[in-house]
Amino acid sequence: MSGPRLDWAAGPGRPLRGELRVPGDKSVSHRAVMLAALADGVSQVHGFLEGEDTRATAAILQRLGVRIEAPEASERIVHGVGLHGLAGADGPLDCGNAGTGMRLLAGLLAGQDFASTLVGDASLSKRPMNRVIDPLSRMGARIDAAAGGLPPLRIHAKNVLQGIDYATPVASAQVKSAVLLAGLYAEGVTRVREPHPTRDYTERMLHAFGWPVAFAPGEAALEGRHRLRATTIAVPADFSSAAFFLVAASVVPGSQLCLRRVGMNPRRTGLLQALRLMGADIREENPGEEGGEPVADLVVRAAALRGIAVPEALVPDMIDEFPALFVAAALAEGETVVTGAAELRVKESDRIAVMATALRRLGARVDESPDGAVIHGGRLHGGEVDAVGDHRIAMSLAVAAQCAGGEVLIADCANVATSFPGFEGLAAEVGLGLQRRPPAVG
Ligand code: S3P
């Protein structure tokens, strides 16, 4: 965690009203600056997420010799150095809290002439990296990690990379992307096959930068020895950030809220489907396109939710939205059953355990299983909960507090700035009861 500790006091606000636009997509922002850095020429990125995660990636690229200007907030001008133009940096490269940053950069740096060391914060230092080390090693990369395949990652210089045909055991866009980025530097064809389709931003963006890539849901392939050409990228608003407001406006009686120009890539909108199965009233209006991605305005009205068995096929398409879904489930009528979601245990925190603990403290009954949970819907009361430095847990608990019978004190919320700078202001503007708590004395 970067800044000082931050705790929130959250409590019933008023019905959510009005409209808002959430910040740019985190996944797209990471990839935009990475590919722009490796392109020939000057690229523009509009709507770049000013989050700590994506700024850490941009700062690493700057340390590798890429000039990146920020003429105004959410704008970046990236002076690409070409595929072979990066220069090694002294000292470790700090990815902060960002699993996406570390795993994608591992692939990108595996193909360089210089060695690099990737480090992260306390949370990232506990996250599994063998899932990228294994395929990158098969391609010929030499990567050392701490015991158990944990960061820091030391990536050796001058690896000779060979394309592979890789069937990933986990459905992970980060793993797929790491292998594809290494594939830019490999001899021959690099192919990735997934057990379930994941977000395809790397593939789409490689195409936008002029690199031939063949992809379909669940599969992607490319060949080395091409070039990336500078382009302009418009980053859509992040569906994962919109998710907190979709749930909040669904559960707070009397709400009606419009979320503007939200990224609607089908590999990201599983929560929308799950909420609709639960009875949510969410309409898509003004469908359009931004930067080659589908976008729409989402108009949410409060509705009575009922529990569901979340279809396992939706899990990868809503993998970041489970903390918010747990909150919707705790306030719904009946049981919600989550299965096939063991990946939640290796996110910024163990999101099954942390959400179960927090919701129980607010009066919910939650039965954990290794790959999910059964959440028994009902009423919540006030109490003290711990977001354990996980941004999405903090924002989800702030939503839960809107329907709790009393004030909810949420500890360790500073990392909200990793993905959603300005959350507190936007939330208060549309009606959420949310304040900073003064730091404890002593
Ligand atoms: C991401 C992929 C997902 C997601 C993360 C962003 C990406 O991680 O949880 O927030 O940008 O590729 P996994 O690849 O671990 O599923």
Side-chain angles (χ1 to χ4, degrees):
M1 185 174 80
S2 50
R5 182 183 162 111
L6 172 65
D7 296 344
W8 284 339
R14 49 184 170 80
L16 277 71
R17 292 276 165 170
E19 58 175 65
L20 73 150
R21 184 179 169 128
V22 299
D25 189 278
K26 181 158 71 74
S27 295
V28 176
S29 296
H30 277 295
R31 288 159 173 83
V33 285
M34 286 184 200
L35 293 189
L38 297 179
D40 296 317
V42 180
S43 295
Q44 309 235 355
V45 183
H46 303 304
F48 180 76
L49 172 66
E50 296 287 359
E52 289 171 1
D53 279 12
T54 44
R55 288 164 77 135
T57 290
I60 286 173
L61 295 166
Q62 287 174 305
R63 287 198 49 211
L64 299 173
V66 182
R67 206 172 123 219
I68 302 180
E69 296 171 78
E72 55 183 286
S74 306
E75 293 292 315
R76 290 295 184 278
I77 298 170
V78 183
H79 298 257
V81 293
L83 205 59
H84 298 282
L86 296 178
D90 288 338
L93 303 169
D94 189 356
C95 301
N97 191 243
T100 308
M102 183 172 285
R103 295 197 179 114
L104 270 60
L105 284 168
L108 190 159
L109 292 170
Q112 308 301 325
D113 283 342
F114 52 84
S116 309
T117 301
L118 293 169
V119 299
D121 71 2
S123 152
L124 183 52
S125 299
K126 286 189 252 163
R127 297 182 66 186
M129 293 296 146
N130 279 338
R131 53 182 61 198
V132 289
I133 296 172
D134 286 348
L136 295 174
S137 303
R138 285 196 211 183
M139 296 177 80
R142 289 154 304 148
I143 302 177
D144 306 323
L150 299 180
L153 296 183
R154 168 138 182 96
I155 301 158
H156 291 234
K158 297 191 195 311
N159 298 306
V160 179
L161 300 183
Q162 192 64 47
I164 54 168
D165 188 333
Y166 186 60
T168 58
V170 277
S172 161
Q174 294 177 359
V175 172
K176 171 176 63 177
S177 301
V179 174
L180 292 176
L181 290 172
L184 304 183
Y185 294 91
E187 271 304 320
V189 176
T190 297
R191 185 183 302 277
V192 183
R193 301 170 204 270
E194 304 178 289
H196 190 284
T198 65
R199 63 193 73 186
D200 54 5
Y201 297 125
T202 303
E203 299 90 303
R204 285 164 175 257
M205 205 171 290
L206 281 166
H207 175 77
F209 278 89
W211 194 291
V213 48
F215 62 102
E219 196 172 328
L222 54 74
E223 225 175 329
R225 297 190 184 283
H226 292 280
R227 304 194 78 81
L228 296 164
R229 285 190 307 272
T231 189
T232 299
I233 299 287
V235 182
D238 198 323
F239 183 90
S240 295
S241 296
F244 307 107
F245 293 101
L246 294 180
V247 172
S250 294
V251 297
V252 177
S255 298
Q256 178 173 335
L257 188 67
C258 177
L259 295 153
R260 290 266 178 236
R261 318 314 294 149
V262 180
M264 295 291 288
N265 183 311
R267 298 275 75 86
R268 295 292 299 285
T269 49
L271 178 76
L272 192 57
Q273 293 184 56
L275 287 175
R276 282 180 175 151
L277 291 173
M278 296 175 83
D281 177 357
I282 305 174
R283 271 186 300 142
E284 289 165 51
E285 293 185 352
N286 305 318
E289 216 187 83
E290 266 180 37
E293 287 289 325
V295 296
D297 296 337
L298 297 178
V299 179
V300 199
R301 288 192 183 81
L305 301 184
R306 51 186 179 272
I308 56 165
V310 178
E312 283 195 16
L314 285 183
V315 168
D317 296 345
M318 57 182 289
I319 195 65
D320 291 334
E321 280 61 77
F322 278 95
L325 184 276
F326 272 46
V327 170
L331 293 162
E333 196 189 313
E335 278 177 19
T336 294
V337 183
V338 176
T339 52
E343 275 293 296
L344 296 176
R345 296 206 180 268
V346 290
K347 292 293 178 188
E348 285 83 330
S349 69
D350 176 342
R351 287 181 170 160
I352 297 174
V354 175
M355 282 306 295
T357 303
L359 289 173
R360 281 186 203 123
R361 294 203 70 157
L362 301 180
R365 202 178 126 208
V366 183
D367 305 319
E368 271 188 61
S369 65
D371 69 339
V374 179
I375 303 126
H376 303 262
R379 300 167 87 85
L380 298 178
H381 55 64
E384 291 193 24
V385 292
D386 193 345
V388 304
D390 183 329
H391 55 137
R392 300 200 199 283
I393 302 270
M395 291 184 275
S396 299
L397 293 175
V399 172
Q402 305 310 308
C403 290
E407 190 176 57
V408 178
L409 303 177
I410 311 170
D412 207 354
C413 301
N415 274 347
V416 162
T418 60
S419 69
F420 199 156
F423 171 76
E424 292 159 297
L426 281 180
E429 222 171 84
V430 295
L432 262 74
L434 180 64
Q435 276 149 25
R436 290 186 173 203
R437 274 192 96 195
V441 185

